[in-house]
Amino acid sequence: ACGGGQVGQTPGGSAGPAPGNKNLVLVPGVQNEPFYISMQCGAQQEAAKLGYKLDTQAPQKFDASLQTPIVNALGANKPAALLIAPTDDVAMATPMTTLKNMGVKIIEVDTALQDKSVAQSSISSNNAEGGKLAADTLAGLLKGQKGSVLVLDTIAGTSTTNARAKGFTDELAKYPNLKSVGVQFTQNEPDQAASKVTAALSSTPDLVGVFATNLNTGEGAATGLHNAGKIGKVKLVGFDASPSEVDGLKSGDFQALIAQDPAGIGKQGVDQAVAAVEGKPVQRTIDAPLVAITKDDMDSKSQYFYKSSC
Amino acid sequence: MTAEEEVVNGGAIEKPTLGARLLGANTFWIGLVLIALCVVFGVLEPTAFLTLFTVQTLLIETAVLLVLSVGMTFVIITGGIDLSVGSVLIFSGMVSAKAMEWVSGGSSTNAGWGVILFGLVVAIVAGTAWGILNGLLIAAAKIPPLIVTLGTLGAALGAASLLNNGSDIRTLPSTMRTTIGYGTSFGYVPNLVIVAVVLTLIGAWLLHTTVFGRHTFAVGSNAEAARRSGIGVTRHLTSIYTLTGALAGVAGFMSLAYFGSTTISAHSTDNLNAIAAVVMGGTSLFGGVGTVLGTVIGVFIPAVLKKGFNIIHVQDFWQMIAVGAVLIAAVWFDQQRRRSRNR
Amino acid sequence: MTAEEEVVNGGAIEKPTLGARLLGANTFWIGLVLIALCVVFGVLEPTAFLTLFTVQTLLIETAVLLVLSVGMTFVIITGGIDLSVGSVLIFSGMVSAKAMEWVSGGSSTNAGWGVILFGLVVAIVAGTAWGILNGLLIAAAKIPPLIVTLGTLGAALGAASLLNNGSDIRTLPSTMRTTIGYGTSFGYVPNLVIVAVVLTLIGAWLLHTTVFGRHTFAVGSNAEAARRSGIGVTRHLTSIYTLTGALAGVAGFMSLAYFGSTTISAHSTDNLNAIAAVVMGGTSLFGGVGTVLGTVIGVFIPAVLKKGFNIIHVQDFWQMIAVGAVLIAAVWFDQQRRRSRNR
Amino acid sequence: MPVLEAHELVKHYGSVEALRGADFTVNAGEVVALIGDNGAGKSTLVKCLSGVEQPDSGQILFEGAPIRLESPVAARRLGIETVYQDLAVAPELDPAANLFLGREVRRSGLLGKLGMLDKAEMRRRATAEFARLGVTLQRIDVPIGSLSGGQRQSVAVARSVVWASKVVFMDEPTAALGVVQRERVLDVIRRVRDEGMAVVLISHNMPEVLAVADRVEVLRLGRRVARFTAAEATLADLVGAMTGALTQEETR
Amino acid sequence: MPVLEAHELVKHYGSVEALRGADFTVNAGEVVALIGDNGAGKSTLVKCLSGVEQPDSGQILFEGAPIRLESPVAARRLGIETVYQDLAVAPELDPAANLFLGREVRRSGLLGKLGMLDKAEMRRRATAEFARLGVTLQRIDVPIGSLSGGQRQSVAVARSVVWASKVVFMDEPTAALGVVQRERVLDVIRRVRDEGMAVVLISHNMPEVLAVADRVEVLRLGRRVARFTAAEATLADLVGAMTGALTQEETR
Ligand SMILES: Nc1ncnc2c1ncn2[C@@H]1O[C@H](COP(=O)(O)OP(=O)(O)OP(=O)(O)O)[C@@H](O)[C@H]1O
Ligand SMILES: Nc1ncnc2c1ncn2[C@@H]1O[C@H](COP(=O)(O)OP(=O)(O)OP(=O)(O)O)[C@@H](O)[C@H]1O
Ligand SMILES: [Mg+2]
Ligand SMILES: [Mg+2]
């Protein structure tokens, strides 16, 4: 095309962030989630310690079309580094690359792009591993009991929870006593999760376990089990350790939770970002730990509980 | 019988028979669709579908939406629309939960009925407040309902998030969950369902037998005529959105009791679901016609369908396609029958 | 001048002046709101807001919604509604991506312009197909548009998910991303924006100067009168939903080029955003009035607002509240001015 | 004494001038015909005098005292009822509901206090009213939108005379009526007049005007241009005044 | 030879019987008045004969051959035009747009082939047509919904006579018209008749009917009950036939 170019290629060269810029921005996957709030808390603490300022801007939904404008807007007020949980491992590459070309350092937290050349560092827990851990934990809870297991996923196309569900299903195949009745999508709505659980109870009387891949599905599943009076009889394994899930674990709604370490991810993200900004060496990938928490060991693992505010 | 006899005394021949009225009722054919769905699933999975448990959970799961849809029926009959119900529901739940925490001085887990009732009142007041705001903007400032409620949809959700810094409250009186949320009365009937049924009956009574209901139809049928007839259209519209807000407040409390959580990130499709239920029940988006009974049927058709599909294990993606197809087919069938009746 | 002079020759006095027409134009006041917003943000953050980059990304980000909204304008002017645009967009993108993979025999990452053009055609065809389905169900089977498009909303999404088993396709021709997705022409203008502008201009031309557009207004103003005037209402409505479907198909391809992914889980609010843009632009949900220019303004008001808020770092929850409030205020201002003009 | 008077009413719609300083007077116990060409401003004048529209300037006097009619309710409270040219009925409601719109009959007792309608009573009274006007309806429970043009108009006429106590405006009430129904309406107009109310009749049917009116006021291009006593006026006078061939009042 | 004939038309709306076996005949080059009480079925008959409604049973003959009028388009193709009682105009469009609705004038050349409207030409021709009918409009670019009742009706009348070639149905075309406009419309009716077209006039104004019609057909309770030659009929005959005091045709 005539004069073909690319967006963000300001003719005459782009001015990167001003030297000495001490602003960091965190763009989590979605607002209102304790997971990301805890990450923000960890990151803020670390940033303050290192003499940086950290802003957080979250999309309303876990949706690339909502996260893109937020990232693009940063091009106007360039921060020194961006910590981001990309909501789509390809779609977010464009805006992130644009920022990177403007001289902003990119650190991925929680999720990562397929294109490994964009970010300087990625800190994440392996979601498939988390799914596996959930399957093992559930099998342990059931102690050889025979029966069916239901997996509740959020929305088709959500990479993180899809990976958890897949890891779970793959691992479950190793337990001959447990049979998967398949993955069901809930559109991330608790009421649909509740409805799927009660329907499964109607049609699959030997249901012994449910794996819910995030907070909303977990809450919905617990509600469904409550309705059916099956709390505790059907083992419910949730993902993440938000305050509400921890309460649920305490009260017996959940039998186990697979917790990540969001605060740790946030802290390490800031460390890497600062290192990148200051021209120090960075570590390309960091694996964050995952733990299974049950009612019995919950007191000893309270450092993994997520926070709903800093 | 000659033509003469029929029209002698200035009009008004006697009423048609009950059978004819039933066949003529706007809700008859769509009601048949609902019954047909139940029969089909009953035959396909008699042991799983036609059980007390399935019926109980089906009713409980639709209770909240039913309450929202009753309010929506009034709004749509006036020719308006309310997209904000889901957000107002969340906001009310959030305020209510906060208030209960506050009067219990911290966690309200062990609070008694006094606190719970207080929470209910707070929820209703919160919902009503948004309803009044919607109503005034629509009726007095004459801004299109779609814009107003789209605005308050975002604003109520933002405000709810602000209140607890974006996270859910899950420490609620446990009595509330066990009695209202999933308790039953008369042996089998879930309490949440009783609440929804009572509200629906009141709604139907209000709409179909009172002056308030009559004016609702009049405003929707021809607002200018209503105004010239001395109906306070502004005031009436305001009270209708207020009513809807109040019902959303109750629904927020019910949702709180049901989920035991404020579920901020949920309920985003409640508005469209409620509107769909109302329209499926034969209420026109252009206003002036509609019934609460139709809305009830409209709420249950998708609910039964999804429940049935989940029970007979239809894959999710197929389910989405099938639910879409059945919605359309049900309304098509209804239209078809009604049209032939008018031939 | 006496009254006599004015009305002598059977009516038709000469046209008002340009200034009067501008002031009288339905889009004038709401356009002022848009300009005011830009000015405010420009003053608050001159170095960040009024930059080439901000303008470029603002335009790019709204390009897809703009294309959807142009189609939606036609639909709403007929008194209809189309909730399915977002899903049809995703479906078209998915089919297009699949088709490009298929003709490239596996991954299409290195495919050339032939394959890309083929993908575009497939996307348009896929969107058109859903549009025809919507149109026939609405116009021929006479099912309310809300129900039909709510049904196809679910069905199209389900079908898109089925095609690739619920996961996104992310291997797309890289040429497509670099040129169409975020390439620019004439130095600064993003190609995606050029596509959107051209489609919008064609839409405006079609609506405001052709027989097709005239009939669109007539159908929305009084469908029965249109029918009696010999306008093929069924056919016209069908073509309008088909047009909207085709535009959603193009939008699907644009989204594909932009995101480089089929983004199944995204676009869930596109339908409401498009409807809001159209209504904000002065088009009545009851049909018969509306302009494409109004829609363009209606698309940009929330876009500018969100962009500005993101740049000046307003917190998320406050942002939701503020966007809601500004939407309502903008339309209120517009109404106010228009009403006083009619006094 | 005039029960209702208008002075110098002006009403614009955008750049269209519907009223350009119109005067109008009607006394209790008389039938005044308001006539004029199409677009002369008759309906606009009626709307201003029944609170539906607010004039841009000018004065309205009710029983000698200046008033403002902010809404139709204000006019109705003064005992002013109107049959609008566009009828202003709710097409989806049945004739009885339209007749009682805004003045529904409630049940007796507590249920009535709660707002419950007495539908049977309203239907009964509606049937009686319609019979009085010679309206023939095959069924009374159909929406008014599906009635014939004349039937619909009869409902609107019935509504106004049932409730008025001071002034009845009738904007072309007989335009769609059959011969019999038209006579009935003229009878009703006379009866209402004899009860001491003022009736303002708008009509394009000059024989009808001369038959029923006591006085005639003529509107032209938004102004009153002539007044007649019906007994003394001829058809030619009226037509002359309407078309501008004859003008009594000075053009300001 | 009759240009249009109806035999035994029956039309139900739910349980309401609008037509109960109605017959009707109109010849080329004549004005037939179709009269009857309110609710007699006149408008319904017109709707059946102009393709808007489908009769439940009965036969329609056009120039002797049985036809089915599935849609208004079918009727228009045969040269049948109609002024509907409810006018059937698009209230948001302006008078010129309404006049040319469904028959828009396109620009010449390629742009016209692409469907572009020639708005100036349509406005010009509309202004001329309105002047011919004596319609006075202050502005021609306002939506028709804001016009006065008579102005709106004039637009509908203008539309029908511009396009007709065989039959024009006019359902109470003069009901809302002023004295001058009414005369103009009656003139137009005569002119159209003289051009060899058939005109069917529905009116409740008997003097008008007797003045302009060649023949009169009377509908009562959905059936034709009498036919007259206008020159021989008296007002009493017509009223008698409409009210049922006089019946010529046997009741089946
Ligand atoms: N709402 C409106 N908007 C714009 N113009 C209007 C409106 N209402 C009336 N007009 C214009 O005002 C003038 C007077 O209208 P009005 O309806 O009062 O006439 P009228 O005397 O009642 O005529 P008719 O005998 O035809 O009913 C007309 O030119 C009409 O076009
Ligand atoms: N769409 C409809 N639905 C139900 N009933 C209808 C409908 N249209 C007409 N009717 C009924 O059919 C009968 C005949 O109506 P129609 O309009 O043909 O009468 P008309 O002779 O034109 O009367 P008018 O002189 O008052 O215009 C009336 O009783 C009317 O109520
Ligand atoms: Mg008038
Ligand atoms: Mg008629």
Side-chain angles (χ1 to χ4, degrees):
Chain A
C2 36
Q6 306 271 289
V7 174
Q9 283 180 344
T10 319
S14 117
N21 181 338
K22 297 246 172 195
N23 291 324
L24 307 178
V25 170
L26 168 66
V27 178
V30 64
Q31 64 186 28
N32 290 358
E33 273 213 357
F35 174 83
Y36 289 117
I37 294 171
S38 307
M39 180 189 289
Q40 183 189 344
C41 297
Q44 248 160 13
Q45 239 175 18
E46 186 71 3
K49 211 168 77 192
L50 300 177
Y52 279 73
K53 185 170 162 292
L54 182 117
D55 257 323
T56 307
Q57 298 229 299
Q60 215 168 315
K61 293 190 169 184
F62 198 89
D63 177 338
S65 65
L66 299 178
Q67 197 180 32
T68 302
I70 293 177
V71 175
N72 277 339
L74 297 176
N77 261 342
K78 297 172 201 70
L82 166 68
L83 289 83
I84 182 169
T87 46
D88 187 304
D89 58 7
V90 168
M92 291 310 299
T94 317
M96 286 166 64
T97 308
T98 312
L99 270 197
K100 178 191 157 130
N101 291 342
M102 292 176 163
V104 179
K105 311 290 181 224
I106 309 284
I107 310 294
E108 290 164 339
V109 285
D110 180 37
T111 51
L113 294 178
Q114 277 181 3
D115 182 350
K116 298 292 169 212
S117 70
V118 179
Q120 304 211 323
S121 173
S122 310
I123 304 103
S124 63
S125 25
N126 186 327
N127 281 301
E129 281 302 322
K132 274 189 191 156
L133 184 56
D136 296 336
T137 311
L138 180 64
L141 285 167
L142 288 169
K143 302 189 184 82
Q145 199 182 337
K146 267 177 84 75
S148 305
V149 175
L150 173 69
V151 181
L152 293 176
D153 199 348
T154 55
I155 303 175
T158 306
S159 46
T160 46
T161 59
N162 292 173
R164 291 170 197 168
K166 181 151 189 320
F168 181 91
T169 317
D170 291 350
E171 183 74 5
L172 198 72
K174 294 190 186 147
Y175 297 92
N177 58 323
L178 298 178
K179 176 169 107 274
S180 169
V181 291
V183 179
Q184 302 231 16
F185 291 95
T186 61
Q187 306 312 316
N188 205 23
E189 289 283 356
D191 58 340
Q192 289 211 33
S195 178
K196 298 261 177 188
V197 167
T198 54
L201 285 170
S202 294
S203 61
T204 324
D206 69 340
L207 192 75
V208 292
V210 176
F211 172 48
T213 56
N214 78 345
L215 171 67
N216 269 354
T217 48
E219 268 187 4
T223 301
L225 292 175
H226 258 300
N227 263 331
K230 293 275 188 174
I231 282 290
K233 295 184 198 123
V234 175
K235 308 288 182 222
L236 175 59
V237 177
F239 210 96
D240 291 336
S242 336
S244 58
E245 288 175 298
V246 171
D247 283 340
L249 188 64
K250 222 178 279 168
S251 66
D253 290 8
F254 288 91
Q255 278 63 50
L257 296 173
I258 307 301
Q260 313 180 61
D261 181 14
I265 295 176
K267 174 178 175 300
Q268 300 205 46
V270 170
D271 289 342
Q272 297 300 318
V274 170
V277 170
E278 295 176 353
K280 296 179 188 148
V282 294
Q283 193 178 343
R284 183 60 191 84
T285 47
I286 300 176
D287 273 332
L290 279 159
V291 282
I293 310 175
T294 60
K295 192 164 184 174
D296 302 331
D297 60 9
M298 66 185 295
D299 294 330
S300 62
K301 292 180 174 167
S302 62
Q303 78 268 28
Y304 291 107
F305 297 170
Y306 302 175
K307 298 191 208 119
S308 53
S309 58
C310 301
Chain B
M1 180 182 77
T2 72
E4 305 291 42
E5 275 172 30
E6 240 181 279
V7 284
V8 267
N9 64 349
I13 54 168
E14 66 288 25
K15 285 200 176 176
T17 61
L18 185 71
R21 280 174 68 199
L22 196 64
L23 276 177
N26 277 337
T27 42
F28 183 75
W29 296 105
I30 193 87
L32 274 192
V33 172
L34 179 58
I35 293 169
L37 281 180
C38 294
V39 169
V40 167
F41 286 120
V43 168
L44 284 178
E45 282 277 346
T47 52
F49 190 78
L50 296 176
T51 60
L52 174 66
F53 173 70
T54 304
V55 173
Q56 276 181 335
T57 52
L58 176 70
L59 291 176
I60 286 204
E61 285 156 13
T62 44
V64 171
L65 184 62
L66 185 59
V67 172
L68 291 179
S69 303
V70 168
M72 192 67 84
T73 308
F74 281 84
V75 167
I76 294 186
I77 287 178
T78 66
I81 203 156
D82 190 346
L83 296 177
S84 70
V85 285
S87 297
V88 171
L89 181 159
I90 291 169
F91 180 86
S92 310
M94 179 59 86
V95 175
S96 171
K98 273 267 162 196
M100 288 192 284
E101 273 191 351
W102 180 71
V103 291
S104 323
S107 158
S108 60
T109 317
N110 300 312
W113 279 104
V115 173
I116 296 175
L117 267 181
F118 174 72
L120 174 63
V121 171
V122 170
I124 296 179
V125 169
T128 307
W130 281 105
I132 292 177
L133 180 65
N134 278 336
L136 288 178
L137 289 170
I138 291 165
K142 305 225 162 45
I143 307 170
L146 187 105
I147 294 289
V148 170
T149 57
L150 195 68
T152 51
L153 160 77
L157 199 57
S161 306
L162 263 183
L163 278 176
N164 202 36
N165 243 312
S167 55
D168 282 312
I169 298 181
R170 211 182 146 158
T171 51
L172 293 162
S174 54
T175 326
M176 172 175 157
R177 280 207 87 183
T178 49
T179 52
I180 307 178
Y182 41 96
T184 56
S185 295
F186 315 114
Y188 306 103
V189 193
N191 292 330
L192 217 51
V193 175
I194 296 180
V195 175
V197 168
V198 168
L199 289 175
T200 306
L201 288 178
I202 294 177
W205 173 81
L206 196 63
L207 183 64
H208 296 295
T209 71
T210 70
V211 174
F212 186 86
R214 179 58 62 83
H215 288 188
T216 305
F217 282 103
V219 169
S221 180
N222 185 344
E224 182 58 22
R227 188 172 82 90
R228 296 192 191 168
S229 304
I231 296 174
V233 174
T234 308
R235 204 172 135 181
H236 194 78
L237 275 180
T238 311
S239 33
I240 282 186
Y241 284 91
T242 306
L243 172 78
T244 308
L247 284 174
V250 178
F253 190 78
M254 290 166 70
S255 164
L256 218 52
Y258 178 53
F259 289 117
S261 154
T262 46
T263 57
I264 301 185
S265 58
H267 294 288
S268 60
T269 52
D270 278 8
N271 47 9
L272 282 188
N273 289 341
I275 294 169
V278 172
V279 174
M280 216 180 322
T283 300
S284 156
L285 278 178
F286 291 93
V289 283
T291 58
V292 170
L293 179 58
T295 299
V296 173
I297 298 171
V299 166
F300 276 100
I301 287 182
V304 166
L305 208 57
K306 282 185 196 151
K307 178 113 265 172
F309 280 152
N310 283 333
I311 288 179
I312 64 174
H313 288 302
V314 174
Q315 208 208 322
D316 282 302
F317 309 139
W318 282 113
Q319 229 181 84
M320 293 168 82
I321 300 177
V323 170
V326 173
L327 285 201
I328 296 174
V331 176
W332 175 80
F333 176 75
D334 183 40
Q335 300 261 27
Q336 222 47 25
R337 306 318 309 155
R338 270 199 248 174
R339 216 169 296 152
S340 76
R341 171 167 62 77
N342 279 340
R343 281 283 140 81
Chain C
M1 178 182 78
T2 72
E4 305 292 40
E5 275 171 29
E6 240 182 277
V7 284
V8 266
N9 63 349
I13 55 170
E14 66 286 27
K15 284 199 178 180
T17 63
L18 185 71
R21 278 173 69 200
L22 195 65
L23 276 177
N26 278 337
T27 41
F28 182 75
W29 297 104
I30 194 86
L32 274 192
V33 173
L34 178 59
I35 293 169
L37 281 182
C38 294
V39 170
V40 168
F41 284 119
V43 169
L44 284 179
E45 283 275 348
T47 52
F49 190 78
L50 297 176
T51 60
L52 174 67
F53 178 73
T54 304
V55 174
Q56 276 182 335
T57 52
L58 176 69
L59 291 176
I60 280 208
E61 285 157 14
T62 43
V64 171
L65 184 62
L66 185 60
V67 172
L68 291 180
S69 302
V70 169
M72 191 67 84
T73 309
F74 280 84
V75 167
I76 293 185
I77 288 177
T78 66
I81 202 157
D82 189 346
L83 297 176
S84 71
V85 285
S87 296
V88 171
L89 181 158
I90 291 168
F91 180 86
S92 309
M94 180 59 88
V95 175
S96 170
K98 273 267 160 193
M100 289 191 284
E101 273 192 352
W102 180 71
V103 291
S104 323
S107 159
S108 60
T109 316
N110 300 313
W113 279 104
V115 172
I116 295 175
L117 268 183
F118 175 71
L120 173 63
V121 171
V122 170
I124 297 179
V125 169
T128 307
W130 281 104
I132 292 178
L133 180 65
N134 277 337
L136 288 179
L137 289 170
I138 291 165
K142 306 223 161 42
I143 307 170
L146 186 105
I147 295 289
V148 169
T149 56
L150 195 69
T152 51
L153 160 76
L157 199 57
S161 306
L162 258 185
L163 280 175
N164 203 36
N165 244 310
S167 49
D168 281 312
I169 299 181
R170 298 177 163 121
T171 50
L172 292 163
S174 53
T175 325
M176 170 174 160
R177 289 206 77 185
T178 50
T179 53
I180 307 178
Y182 44 100
T184 55
S185 294
F186 314 114
Y188 305 103
V189 193
N191 293 331
L192 218 50
V193 175
I194 296 181
V195 175
V197 168
V198 168
L199 289 176
T200 306
L201 288 178
I202 294 179
W205 173 80
L206 196 63
L207 183 63
H208 296 295
T209 70
T210 69
V211 174
F212 186 85
R214 179 59 61 83
H215 288 188
T216 305
F217 282 104
V219 168
S221 180
N222 185 345
E224 181 58 21
R227 188 173 82 90
R228 295 192 192 168
S229 304
I231 296 173
V233 174
T234 308
R235 205 173 135 180
H236 195 78
L237 276 180
T238 310
S239 32
I240 283 187
Y241 284 91
T242 306
L243 172 77
T244 308
L247 285 174
V250 178
F253 189 78
M254 291 166 68
S255 164
L256 215 53
Y258 181 49
F259 290 120
S261 153
T262 46
T263 57
I264 304 185
S265 61
H267 294 288
S268 57
T269 51
D270 278 8
N271 48 8
L272 282 188
N273 290 341
I275 293 169
V278 172
V279 174
M280 215 178 326
T283 301
S284 157
L285 277 178
F286 291 95
V289 283
T291 59
V292 171
L293 180 59
T295 299
V296 173
I297 298 171
V299 166
F300 277 100
I301 286 184
V304 166
L305 207 58
K306 283 184 196 150
K307 170 105 325 176
F309 281 154
N310 281 333
I311 287 180
I312 63 174
H313 286 302
V314 173
Q315 208 206 326
D316 303 319
F317 315 138
W318 282 114
Q319 225 180 86
M320 294 167 79
I321 299 178
V323 171
V326 174
L327 285 202
I328 296 174
V331 176
W332 174 81
F333 176 75
D334 184 41
Q335 300 262 26
Q336 222 47 27
R337 306 316 311 155
R338 269 198 249 174
R339 216 169 296 151
S340 76
R341 170 169 61 80
N342 279 340
R343 279 282 141 80
Chain D
M1 199 189 72
V3 57
L4 197 62
E5 263 179 296
H7 282 304
E8 302 264 337
L9 292 192
V10 173
K11 175 75 194 172
H12 290 254
Y13 291 107
S15 66
V16 173
E17 299 181 277
L19 295 179
R20 313 179 187 210
D23 295 317
F24 182 72
T25 318
V26 58
N27 301 310
E30 73 170 0
V31 178
V32 182
L34 177 62
I35 64 172
D37 206 3
N38 290 135
K42 304 180 296 299
S43 299
T44 308
L45 180 60
V46 168
K47 285 184 194 153
C48 288
L49 294 180
S50 53
V52 170
E53 300 269 9
Q54 264 58 55
D56 298 331
S57 70
Q59 212 183 16
I60 300 174
L61 306 177
F62 182 76
E63 299 185 330
I67 49 162
R68 280 202 50 200
L69 296 169
E70 278 127 18
S71 72
V73 182
R76 284 159 69 109
R77 238 182 250 130
L78 298 174
I80 302 173
E81 287 292 324
T82 311
V83 181
Y84 297 96
Q85 188 169 14
D86 58 6
L87 302 185
V89 293
E92 276 88 7
L93 298 186
D94 66 24
N98 268 290
L99 186 65
F100 286 91
L101 203 58
R103 282 155 166 156
E104 287 77 7
V105 178
R106 299 173 183 215
R107 301 206 179 186
S108 52
L110 179 69
L111 287 175
K113 292 237 169 55
L114 284 174
M116 251 183 111
L117 300 166
D118 191 342
K119 293 188 186 174
E121 170 67 9
M122 287 196 276
R123 197 157 286 181
R124 207 185 51 68
R125 274 163 61 180
T127 312
E129 280 305 327
F130 297 151
R132 205 150 68 113
L133 285 170
V135 188
T136 314
L137 298 176
Q138 281 191 40
R139 282 181 60 174
I140 194 144
D141 59 349
V142 295
I144 202 171
S146 71
L147 294 186
S148 85
Q151 290 167 338
R152 227 173 310 164
Q153 191 158 45
S154 302
V155 175
V157 171
R159 182 165 61 168
S160 72
V161 295
V162 168
W163 304 112
S165 67
K166 293 280 185 181
V167 185
V168 187
F169 287 103
M170 295 199 178
D171 197 349
E172 311 198 15
T174 59
L177 294 189
V179 179
V180 180
Q181 290 77 12
R182 173 190 307 253
E183 278 312 319
R184 298 277 185 105
V185 168
L186 297 185
D187 287 347
V188 166
I189 290 177
R190 290 193 194 94
R191 177 171 58 75
V192 167
R193 186 249 331 260
D194 296 342
E195 286 168 7
M197 278 181 257
V199 181
V200 180
L201 171 69
I202 297 182
S203 175
H204 289 297
N205 189 328
M206 292 307 127
E208 178 179 298
V209 163
L210 291 175
V212 76
D214 300 310
R215 287 196 310 109
V216 181
E217 305 216 345
V218 184
L219 220 54
R220 177 164 161 69
L221 298 174
R223 284 214 196 84
R224 181 170 66 190
V225 291
R227 286 191 272 186
F228 300 98
T229 309
E232 294 161 9
T234 65
L235 209 140
D237 291 343
L238 301 186
V239 174
M242 285 194 288
T243 54
L246 179 155
T247 314
Q248 288 180 343
E249 318 212 341
E250 80 289 7
T251 312
R252 277 164 301 250
Chain E
M1 200 189 70
V3 56
L4 197 61
E5 263 179 294
H7 281 305
E8 302 264 336
L9 292 191
V10 173
K11 175 76 192 172
H12 290 253
Y13 292 107
S15 67
V16 174
E17 300 181 277
L19 295 179
R20 313 179 186 208
D23 295 318
F24 183 71
T25 318
V26 57
N27 300 310
E30 73 169 0
V31 178
V32 182
L34 178 62
I35 64 172
D37 206 2
N38 289 136
K42 303 181 295 297
S43 299
T44 307
L45 180 60
V46 168
K47 284 184 195 154
C48 289
L49 294 180
S50 53
V52 169
E53 300 270 9
Q54 265 56 55
D56 297 333
S57 69
Q59 213 183 12
I60 300 175
L61 306 177
F62 182 75
E63 299 187 328
I67 49 163
R68 281 202 50 200
L69 295 169
E70 277 127 17
S71 73
V73 183
R76 283 160 70 110
R77 238 181 251 131
L78 297 174
I80 302 173
E81 287 291 324
T82 311
V83 182
Y84 297 96
Q85 187 170 14
D86 59 6
L87 302 185
V89 292
E92 277 88 5
L93 299 186
D94 66 23
N98 268 290
L99 186 65
F100 287 90
L101 202 58
R103 282 154 167 155
E104 286 76 8
V105 179
R106 298 172 182 217
R107 300 205 180 186
S108 53
L110 180 68
L111 287 176
K113 291 239 168 55
L114 283 174
M116 252 184 110
L117 299 168
D118 191 344
K119 291 188 188 176
E121 169 67 8
M122 287 196 276
R123 197 158 286 180
R124 207 185 51 67
R125 273 164 61 182
T127 311
E129 281 303 327
F130 297 151
R132 203 150 69 113
L133 285 171
V135 188
T136 315
L137 298 177
Q138 283 191 39
R139 282 182 60 174
I140 193 145
D141 60 347
V142 295
I144 202 171
S146 71
L147 296 185
S148 84
Q151 290 167 338
R152 225 172 313 163
Q153 190 158 46
S154 302
V155 175
V157 171
R159 182 165 59 167
S160 71
V161 295
V162 168
W163 304 112
S165 67
K166 293 281 185 180
V167 185
V168 187
F169 286 102
M170 296 197 176
D171 197 348
E172 311 196 15
T174 60
L177 294 190
V179 180
V180 180
Q181 289 76 11
R182 174 190 308 254
E183 278 313 318
R184 298 278 185 107
V185 168
L186 297 185
D187 286 346
V188 166
I189 290 177
R190 290 195 195 91
R191 178 171 57 75
V192 167
R193 187 250 331 260
D194 295 342
E195 286 168 8
M197 277 180 258
V199 182
V200 180
L201 171 69
I202 297 182
S203 175
H204 289 296
N205 188 329
M206 292 307 128
E208 177 179 299
V209 163
L210 290 175
V212 76
D214 300 307
R215 289 196 308 111
V216 181
E217 304 216 347
V218 185
L219 220 54
R220 176 164 162 70
L221 298 174
R223 281 212 197 85
R224 181 169 69 190
V225 291
R227 287 192 271 186
F228 299 99
T229 308
E232 292 161 11
T234 65
L235 211 142
D237 289 343
L238 299 185
V239 175
M242 285 194 288
T243 54
L246 178 154
T247 315
Q248 286 180 342
E249 318 213 341
E250 81 289 5
T251 312
R252 277 162 302 248

